[in-house]
Amino acid sequence: MQEVMNWSDEFLAGTFVIIKLFFISLVMVITWGLLGATAKLSNSRIARGIANGFTVLCRGTPEFLLLLIVYFGSAVTLTSIARAINPEIRFLDIPPFWAGAFAISLVIGAYATETFRGAFLGIDKGYIEAAKALGMTRFQVFWKLRVPMMWRLALPGFGNHLLSLLKDTALVSVIGVEGILFTAQQASSVNHKPFTMYLTVAFIFLALSTVIVVTMKCVEKYAYRHLEAAR
Amino acid sequence: MQNNPPIISLKNVHKYFGDFHALRNINLDVEEGQKIVVCGPSGSGKSTMIRCVNGLEQHDEGTIMVNGHTMSSDEKIGNLIRQEVGMVFQSFNLFPHMKVLDNLTMAQRMVRQKTKAEARDTGMKLLERVGIAAQADKFPSQLSGGQQQRVAIARALCMNPKVMLFDEPTSALDPEMISEVLDVMTELARDGMTMICVTHEMGFARSVADRIVFMDQGEIVETGEPETFFANPAHARTRAFLDQIISH
């Protein structure tokens, strides 16, 4: 226990890092998911093609690998561009935190694309027609009806994605983001208590995922209050 | 009488669903203030016809004029027309996640750019008119079918439409709720609303309609005033249809 307490500040800081990573990725996940699902359901063949490519690529490769490719790929590209302008520069990269958030969001966003697409398809066409008949534009119908109806249908699947997203934040320690796994690695290399250190990490993840599960339960209850009321 | 151009005018309208010829050469003029009842067997194209009037379906040939605009696939023109044409559906289609009053205010605010207070004001007035102001803060699922359909009528009226389309508004209702909806519609007719109603409620047709349109297999078979239509149908198909629905 003392070993953990010795590193408590670092663990706490690491926890905040992954929480921040989680929320920033989450915003991107929702963006990719909405864009992807809308593209897949659109009439444009190009949009559908791009969205299909996105989901095939990002669901079909290990997230760990994608993370490395995004970070090192962007670093190599940026460095070579920078060197072309100024040969003095040795190395240039996207901050690992942002590269990590982006890479993770691509993977979970690809899954969210499919979840959102299914949910969009689950909306009864009658509601959309009713809104159209009232003179609402396609844009208004999308934001005022399709999205609010879609997210309710997407909730159960989306809850799973949130858990995956949280767990994927552990991966970013490999590119040097100082999350809790990074802390545990550092600590165990000093105090040689890897089991205790990694167990601590596990507990922190478990605590955070419990928060997500409970939150999702409340959100679902809120989302379906209009049906609850009828019983 | 013929000073004003008709508010709705369908000329040589055809509509296909794939190989299926859903509307065959439809011609229909509706003057302002007229009440038209459309009847006919299922699959005869009644719903398709009124859905073409507000552009929920795109017709393939012919012209449809509504309130001076020619319907086209251009969304802007479609919206312009739909803003002036209210529609009530068989399955109500109230937005389930919104409270009754919010169902009424949303389009007013988004399409008519009314303030929240104005929209709520109009909404409450119309809920009173259809007799369900007390349910304003409930969700649609807490209401009976008849109440939901009255809310749906109020929602359409909130936009202050020039024309109302009814697509079998009582077909999904339990028998004891049909009259409360028909009462609202009758009152609306009395107030001078231009209406096209697809319905099998022949009592309503007889008392309210200026003209009854009988459709079969995608075409208008017969049009007539209620008295002649019921007493003296010109076509055998009309007679067969009337025999069927009146024998029950």
Side-chain angles (χ1 to χ4, degrees), chain B residues 50-122:
Chain B
I50 65 167
R51 287 164 61 83
C52 282
V53 169
N54 69 349
L56 287 184
E57 303 284 358
Q58 288 295 325
H59 60 289
D60 295 309
E61 287 169 40
T63 45
I64 298 179
M65 297 264 298
V66 182
N67 196 30
H69 301 289
T70 307
M71 178 61 80
S72 77
S73 54
D74 183 351
E75 206 205 344
K76 272 199 186 119
I77 293 178
N79 276 331
L80 213 60
I81 290 175
R82 283 186 283 274
Q83 286 173 19
E84 308 301 332
V85 178
M87 187 164 195
V88 175
F89 299 85
Q90 180 176 352
S91 49
F92 328 137
N93 296 343
L94 296 178
F95 310 131
H97 58 293
M98 295 180 174
K99 291 183 174 171
V100 164
L101 187 57
D102 297 331
N103 260 277
L104 269 66
T105 54
M106 181 172 71
Q108 292 187 66
R109 300 191 58 196
M110 308 216 68
V111 179
R112 299 281 193 232
Q113 274 93 37
K114 287 197 193 173
T115 66
K116 195 171 180 180
E118 285 172 338
R120 290 179 78 89
D121 211 41
T122 312

Side-chain angles (χ1 to χ4, degrees), chain A residues 70-91:
Chain A
V70 166
Y71 175 65
F72 290 110
S74 63
V76 168
T77 317
L78 275 181
T79 306
S80 59
I81 293 172
R83 286 184 118 167
I85 299 163
N86 180 1
E88 302 278 290
I89 291 168
R90 285 286 157 94
F91 183 73

Side-chain angles (χ1 to χ4, degrees), chain B residues 108-237:
Chain B
Q108 292 187 66
R109 300 191 58 196
M110 308 216 68
V111 179
R112 299 281 193 232
Q113 274 93 37
K114 287 197 193 173
T115 66
K116 195 171 180 180
E118 285 172 338
R120 290 179 78 89
D121 211 41
T122 312
M124 283 311 293
K125 267 187 202 136
L126 281 157
L127 282 179
E128 257 159 51
R129 186 164 160 194
V130 300
I132 27 181
Q135 323 285 344
D137 282 325
K138 290 192 177 169
F139 284 107
S141 61
Q142 294 170 278
L143 271 54
S144 73
Q147 289 175 322
Q148 289 190 48
Q149 193 60 300
R150 284 188 280 155
V151 172
I153 295 173
R155 179 175 68 179
L157 292 177
C158 277
M159 303 301 288
N160 203 12
K162 295 203 164 75
V163 179
M164 284 286 286
L165 307 174
F166 292 85
D167 190 1
E168 304 208 29
T170 56
S171 299
L173 293 175
D174 290 334
E176 73 269 23
M177 292 170 184
I178 290 178
S179 67
E180 66 185 60
V181 172
L182 291 180
D183 286 348
V184 170
M185 290 168 64
T186 307
E187 206 176 296
L188 195 59
R190 233 178 261 144
D191 290 347
M193 178 63 76
T194 311
M195 294 162 68
I196 304 184
C197 314
V198 173
T199 180
H200 293 139
E201 296 298 329
M202 288 302 134
F204 171 80
R206 203 185 283 269
S207 66
V208 169
D210 296 309
R211 258 190 304 159
I212 300 184
V213 172
F214 175 69
M215 291 181 72
D216 192 17
Q217 294 176 2
E219 53 190 3
I220 293 181
V221 176
E222 182 168 353
T223 308
E225 289 177 10
E227 300 87 57
T228 39
F229 181 83
F230 286 112
N232 244 332
H235 284 79
R237 276 195 274 177

